[in-house]
Amino acid sequence: MPKLYGLLLVSLLVACSPATPQPQEPAAPATTTPVTTPPATGGAGGTSATGTGGAATGIGGATAEKMCGGIAGIQCPANQYCSFAPEAHCGAADMSGTCAPKPDMCTQQVDEVCGCDDKTYSNACMAAQAGISVVMKGACAKPPAATAPEGKLCGTRGAPQECDPGLYCAFKADCGATDAGGICTKKPTMCTKIYAPVCGCDGQTHGSACTAAAAGVSVAKKGECKK
């Protein structure tokens, strides 16, 4: 009997003992897939890295036109000039223009224009090259000839060819052919009817020196002109 109890006790001890855990293989590390982040864009204007669509440049990289002139008198950068539209009248009344590049080269084609500096240029390109905007096509109108007052030299080199209104250039000899010049003299308003013919510097016979002067003509010689 004691032997039987001993076997039962051993059997109970074995049954109640915890099971020895089986060795497990280490788990393989999880594989992670890198996530690619798309580059940030600068909105509707384009990529921020290139600045496309920013304030300085527009679509296609074209430089925005800069205003010039106006009431503030804004100047253009170097190698540019202020170009005015025809209706801006060269910036009159504080009208503004836009900065435009000065051309490096121009053709020799003659298509005259009048610049805002009142000078005539062979073509619009040459005006732009000089930094001058065009006011109109065609040559500029010639300024009126200067005139001389009464008693001043006229009709010779270095002196006006014409006199003030109501005056004429009275030559003393050769009708000014020798560069001697004349003197601006008043035209007579009344003459006698005495016939004393003279030949005028206009090649016409006048009734007297007075009537010749009234017509603004100097006397070439006394007597009628030879026909």
Side-chain angles (χ1 to χ4, degrees):
M1 286 295 290
K3 186 176 182 181
L4 180 58
Y5 287 140
L7 290 174
L8 290 173
L9 182 60
V10 170
S11 299
L12 289 172
L13 290 172
V14 172
C16 293
S17 298
T20 303
Q22 296 294 325
Q24 297 182 356
E25 296 182 0
T31 302
T32 57
T33 302
V35 178
T36 303
T37 304
T41 60
T47 305
S48 60
T50 60
T52 306
T57 56
I59 299 173
T63 304
E65 292 182 338
K66 179 183 176 182
M67 187 181 73
C68 55
I71 193 170
I74 302 172
Q75 300 296 316
C76 293
N79 298 323
Q80 294 188 11
Y81 75 105
C82 197
S83 177
F84 294 100
E87 58 271 16
H89 302 292
C90 297
D94 294 327
M95 297 288 282
S96 61
T98 54
C99 292
K102 295 180 181 179
D104 294 326
M105 297 180 65
C106 294
T107 65
Q108 297 300 315
Q109 178 184 359
V110 177
D111 187 11
E112 291 183 336
V113 295
C114 181
C116 287
D117 58 351
D118 292 326
K119 293 183 179 179
T120 300
Y121 294 86
S122 296
N123 53 55
C125 179
M126 289 186 174
Q129 195 173 48
I132 303 298
S133 191
V134 173
V135 62
M136 68 176 185
K137 290 186 176 181
C140 299
K142 293 182 179 179
T147 59
E150 184 180 4
K152 294 296 183 179
L153 184 67
C154 57
T156 188
R157 296 177 185 177
Q161 298 299 309
E162 302 293 335
C163 298
D164 289 346
L167 307 176
Y168 78 106
C169 194
F171 295 101
K172 291 185 177 180
D174 301 322
C175 297
T178 58
D179 284 339
I183 300 296
C184 287
T185 307
K186 283 185 178 180
K187 296 178 181 179
T189 56
M190 295 181 66
C191 295
T192 65
K193 295 184 178 180
I194 298 175
Y195 186 70
V198 294
C199 181
C201 288
D202 59 352
Q204 302 295 320
T205 298
H206 297 267
S208 65
C210 182
T211 57
V217 178
S218 292
V219 174
K221 65 177 183 177
K222 291 183 178 181
E224 295 181 355
C225 297
K226 293 181 179 179
K227 295 182 180 179

